[in-house]
């Protein structure tokens, strides 16, 4: 069965959109990481590695630092999926969902981004 990737990007592309926001590039220039599901993390790590960065997920914690970070939490719409947004410090600065309110509750995890050095 062939998937309509454009439709999936529009409805389930929050991670792609947040990565694009983080790097200040157009979302069409960022892979649709979550499809196929089996290797999404490998593709995400590779995308960051090409930019000299390494990444890993850890539980969300609040911070005093005003750093830009990608955080995820439970999705209001998709019961088995997470929703990704961008925070600066502890404040949401970008949500790819048009109404800006697609995360159910507080974030559960954050993407830690480190230099390869």
């Amino acid at each position: 069965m062939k998937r309509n990737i454009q439709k999936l990007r529009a409805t389930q592309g929050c991670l792609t959109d947040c990565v694009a926001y983080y790097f200040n590039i157009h979302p069409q220039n960022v892979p649709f990481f979550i499809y196929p599901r089996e290797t999404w993390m490998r593709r995400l790590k590779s995308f960051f590695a090409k930019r000299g960065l390494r990444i890993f997920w850890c539980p969300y914690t609040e911070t005093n630092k005003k750093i830009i970070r990608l955080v995820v939490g439970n999705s209001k719409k998709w019961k088995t999926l997470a929703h990704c947004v961008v925070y600066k410090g502890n404040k949401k600065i970008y949500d790819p969902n048009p109404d800006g309110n697609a995360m159910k509750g507080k974030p559960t995890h954050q993407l830690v981004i480190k230099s390869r050095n």
Side-chain angles (χ1 to χ4, degrees):
M1 172 171 78
K2 187 173 180 173
R3 296 297 200 110
N4 182 338
I5 298 300
Q6 291 307 101
K7 183 176 180 183
L8 286 174
R9 283 181 80 112
T11 59
Q12 299 175 29
C14 59
L15 178 60
T16 295
D17 291 347
C18 288
V19 170
Y21 183 93
Y22 182 85
F23 286 109
N24 194 27
I25 56 178
H26 194 281
Q28 290 297 324
N29 296 325
V30 178
F32 182 55
F33 298 109
I34 66 164
Y35 185 82
R37 298 229 190 273
E38 299 81 31
T39 55
W40 74 270
M41 189 61 187
R42 186 176 343 150
R43 288 189 302 279
L44 183 63
K45 284 183 176 184
S46 176
F47 189 83
F48 277 82
K50 289 176 184 174
R51 287 150 183 81
L53 302 167
R54 60 185 174 92
I55 59 169
F56 59 93
W57 293 98
C58 72
Y60 174 79
T61 57
E62 292 196 0
T63 181
N64 292 330
K65 299 176 183 174
K66 298 292 181 190
I67 56 172
I68 305 293
R69 57 195 181 143
L70 280 63
V71 302
V72 298
N74 294 325
S75 170
K76 283 185 179 177
K77 184 175 183 180
W78 308 100
K79 302 286 185 224
T80 60
L81 299 177
H83 181 62
C84 187
V85 298
V86 180
Y87 271 35
K88 182 173 185 178
N90 300 317
K91 183 177 178 182
K92 180 173 58 174
I93 60 169
Y94 175 71
D95 186 337
N97 190 58
D99 71 9
N101 191 22
M103 187 182 295
K104 182 179 175 182
K106 293 194 178 261
T108 59
H109 290 80
Q110 61 192 13
L111 186 66
V112 177
I113 304 167
K114 302 270 186 184
S115 173
R116 285 202 160 268
N117 298 335

